[in-house]
Amino acid sequence: METILLLAHTETDGTLSKAGRETLAAALALSGDLSGAPVIVGLVSAGDAQAAADSIAGCGAAGFLAVTGPDFETARYATDAAAAEALARAAEATLVLAPATSRWARCLPGVAQRMNGRVDTHATAVTVEAGAPAVTRWYYRQRIEGQSQRVQRPWFILLEPGTTQACECAPGHAVIESVAVDVGDRMRRTSFCGWRAPRTDQQTIRPEAELLLVAGAGWTKKQADGQTHPADAERLILGFLDRTQASLGGSKSLVDLSGEGQAVLPFMTHLNQVGQTGSTPRHPKGLATCCHGEEPHVVGWRFIQQRRAVNLDPSCGWARGKADVLYVADAFAVMEELNKLLAR
Ligand SMILES: Cc1cc2nc3c(=O)[nH]c(=O)nc-3n(C[C@H](O)[C@H](O)[C@H](O)COP(=O)(O)OP(=O)(O)OC[C@H]3O[C@@H](n4cnc5c(N)ncnc54)[C@H](O)[C@@H]3O)c2cc1C
């Protein structure tokens, strides 16, 4: 019989993140498919973890474990790894599911190594095949989907956020069993000293947004009047993002231009790039503008559910082939009009 441990860290306000609830839903579904294999919730928290545990008290977990204390407030390899190991041992877990947050992604491969287990990252589903757990993930920059099973235990699985619906289990009172971790001075050698982040009005990547706006290099190309219009492009794109709170993706051609320091869309960085050598975000809707490339259309928005594109070129094969709707139009004019409508 497998024992499933759901690993999650609480947020700074003591709650459980959406990604944590999604992974909990996956763990519960897996438990059902494994004839009721017990699910144990393991929380890591700077506080007492009670609010997070109470918020999912009705999930049907066989138990709640927690590693708590100020040492676990911020991400740190040594303490996060020690907490995960202690929870996995206390639960006697054979399967450990965790959301693929940067915090868990950094330390769980090391924990798997310490426990002589195995780890799979970037999982998009955990199902049961022939009576045993199986992990689904994408290979070759999201072009090939594969499924694998392992006999080695414990098996750590990092589930990508956005691949399952979050658990809507009833709140209540959860009884938490505390798990001790001996944090020595060596573990504290790395300490958190502060945040350095872009100003929030420059933060254009919003993983939770309803819509992904993809900007292509066409925004920086000479237009019908023989001139480029980067200032208009900036105003239109940022204006649209401001009004819709959409997330901003860019084609490689566009973000490469910005990286060279040319007088083009300075707010685009390589972090915005979608595609084969960029990211493959998961948003319900996508709108590609001034974008022709195969990689942004085929790979970059592979997981976008409704896709539309605006391109001057009616023969743009990738926009035609991969968008549900292609508007053959000038994106400058379309976005100007859209922003006017949104401003109302
Ligand atoms: C190994 C490899 C990996 C790669 N990985 C990636 C990747 O991860 N992501 C990625 O994006 N690319 C990637 N590329 C590059 C990719 O092949 C394309 O070169 C790139 O995506 C093209 O970018 P673009 O569509 O923005 O620019 P362009 O090909 O220059 O297209 C610009 C488009 O804008 C349109 N346009 C111009 N003005 C307007 C207007 N006013 N209104 C509407 N439309 C207008 C034009 O009709 C044209 O279709 C990769 C290439 C290689 C070889």
Side-chain angles (χ1 to χ4, degrees):
M1 174 73 106
E2 304 276 8
T3 299
I4 305 167
L5 173 68
L6 175 273
L7 262 188
H9 41 74
T10 61
E11 302 299 294
T12 42
D13 62 359
T15 59
L16 201 58
S17 70
K18 181 161 168 272
R21 286 173 171 275
E22 289 169 5
T23 312
L24 173 60
L28 295 171
L30 179 63
S31 156
D33 293 345
L34 287 170
S35 315
V39 174
I40 294 169
V41 174
L43 298 170
V44 179
S45 178
D48 61 6
Q50 194 64 53
D54 285 353
S55 72
I56 51 165
C59 69
F64 288 83
L65 303 175
V67 170
T68 58
D71 280 311
F72 304 97
E73 184 168 0
T74 49
R76 172 170 51 190
Y77 181 89
T79 39
D80 284 344
E85 181 181 353
L87 288 167
R89 290 196 190 281
E92 297 181 13
T94 55
L95 300 170
V96 181
L97 266 64
T101 58
S102 59
R103 196 164 172 178
W104 288 130
R106 184 163 37 177
C107 73
L108 288 190
V111 180
Q113 178 74 13
R114 280 181 200 179
M115 297 184 70
N116 195 27
R118 291 290 183 270
V119 65
D120 276 279
T121 58
H122 296 295
T124 53
V126 192
T127 50
V128 172
E129 301 296 330
V135 157
T136 301
R137 62 162 293 179
W138 294 79
Y139 296 88
Y140 182 40
R141 298 304 305 187
Q142 327 288 9
R143 283 169 193 250
I144 299 169
E145 192 181 28
Q147 210 176 43
S148 49
Q149 294 181 301
R150 294 185 184 275
V151 289
Q152 189 94 8
R153 299 289 185 268
W155 185 9
F156 290 78
I157 299 165
L158 285 151
L159 192 69
E160 285 287 296
T163 49
T164 12
Q165 291 293 326
C167 173
E168 293 292 346
C169 27
H173 177 69
V175 178
I176 300 177
E177 190 184 321
S178 179
V179 175
V181 173
D182 185 16
V183 180
D185 286 344
R186 278 187 65 197
M187 284 194 198
R188 295 194 183 105
R189 278 185 310 191
T190 305
S191 62
F192 175 77
C193 60
W195 291 100
R196 266 192 12 202
R199 280 178 23 218
T200 46
D201 59 347
Q202 291 177 333
Q203 181 53 271
T204 55
I205 300 169
R206 301 175 175 130
E208 300 295 331
E210 271 289 294
L211 175 71
L212 173 73
L213 175 72
V214 178
W219 282 105
T220 61
K221 297 268 160 82
K222 285 186 181 165
Q223 296 299 307
D225 60 0
Q227 305 294 317
T228 58
H229 297 276
D232 285 338
E234 177 166 350
R235 176 179 56 80
L236 290 169
I237 294 171
L238 291 182
F240 182 79
L241 294 182
D242 187 41
R243 291 182 177 104
T244 57
Q245 290 300 301
S247 190
L248 180 63
S251 71
K252 179 166 164 51
S253 298
L254 184 59
V255 304
D256 279 354
L257 280 175
S258 318
E260 295 303 319
Q262 298 182 26
V264 290
L265 316 188
F267 52 92
M268 305 280 315
T269 74
H270 283 96
L271 291 176
N272 291 100
Q273 185 186 322
V274 297
Q276 183 173 340
T277 43
S279 65
T280 39
R282 293 179 163 79
H283 298 272
K285 295 179 182 175
L287 177 66
T289 50
C290 298
C291 185
H292 162 79
E294 173 185 1
E295 288 82 1
H297 284 117
V298 178
V299 188
W301 64 0
R302 174 180 277 284
F303 300 119
I304 305 292
Q305 289 154 27
Q306 288 180 40
R307 309 184 279 204
R308 298 188 177 200
V310 186
N311 199 307
L312 275 178
D313 178 6
S315 328
C316 175
W318 296 116
R320 278 180 64 160
K322 293 295 169 185
D324 304 308
V325 179
L326 169 63
Y327 303 99
V328 179
D330 178 353
F332 282 81
V334 171
M335 297 298 277
E336 192 80 69
E337 192 56 31
L338 255 180
N339 281 349
K340 264 191 220 157
L341 292 172
L342 288 165
R344 281 195 209 152

